[in-house]
């Protein structure tokens, strides 16, 4: 329920809330300890499917917010995600 409350307050949709549940994230505080890229890759592994890159953007936004950054929309993180993924190739 803790993540659901946080989800409602910060406009993260129910599908992302379900992803948090799939990843075993139970509280908003759990999110602050996460690595968004590791969350994204783990979700792909657990669901045995490729996730939309915007999911990674959303994970980045939520984790950043839970670590104390101002609330920003997921698309704010798209350039950072693209740069990050290019650097890993």
């Amino acid at each position: 329920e803790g993540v659901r409350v946080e989800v409602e307050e910060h406009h993260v949709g129910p599908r992302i809330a379900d992803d948090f549940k799939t990843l075993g994230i139970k509280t908003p505080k759990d999110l602050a300890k996460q690595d968004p890229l590791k969350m994204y890759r783990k979700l792909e592994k657990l669901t045995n499917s490729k996730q939309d890159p915007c999911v990674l953007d959303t994970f980045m936004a939520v984790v950043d917010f839970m670590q104390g950054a101002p609330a920003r929309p997921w698309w704010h993180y798209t350039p950072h995600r693209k740069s990050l993924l290019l650097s890993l190739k």
Side-chain angles (χ1 to χ4, degrees):
E1 177 162 316
V3 173
R4 184 159 312 282
V5 170
E6 196 67 31
V7 164
E8 291 168 3
E9 290 176 9
H10 301 291
H11 309 288
V12 174
R15 293 188 78 183
I16 294 295
D18 288 344
D19 291 342
F20 293 156
K21 186 176 180 181
T22 299
L23 291 166
I25 297 168
K26 295 181 171 66
T27 69
K29 287 183 182 179
D30 292 341
L31 286 165
K33 302 172 195 166
Q34 300 297 315
D35 176 314
L37 183 58
K38 287 180 182 178
M39 291 170 61
Y40 181 73
R41 289 183 169 161
K42 183 177 179 182
L43 184 63
E44 288 187 326
K45 193 173 200 174
L46 290 171
T47 61
N48 198 30
S49 65
K50 183 141 177 64
Q51 298 294 315
D52 187 296
C54 296
V55 172
L56 177 53
D57 298 344
T58 303
F59 287 173
M60 294 169 84
V62 171
V63 169
D64 203 30
F65 175 76
M66 293 310 301
Q67 291 176 345
R72 295 183 180 107
W74 64 263
W75 57 86
H76 173 84
Y77 292 84
T78 301
H80 179 65
R81 182 248 308 155
K82 288 180 177 181
S83 175
L84 173 66
L85 293 179
L86 278 175
S87 74
L88 297 174
K89 287 187 175 186

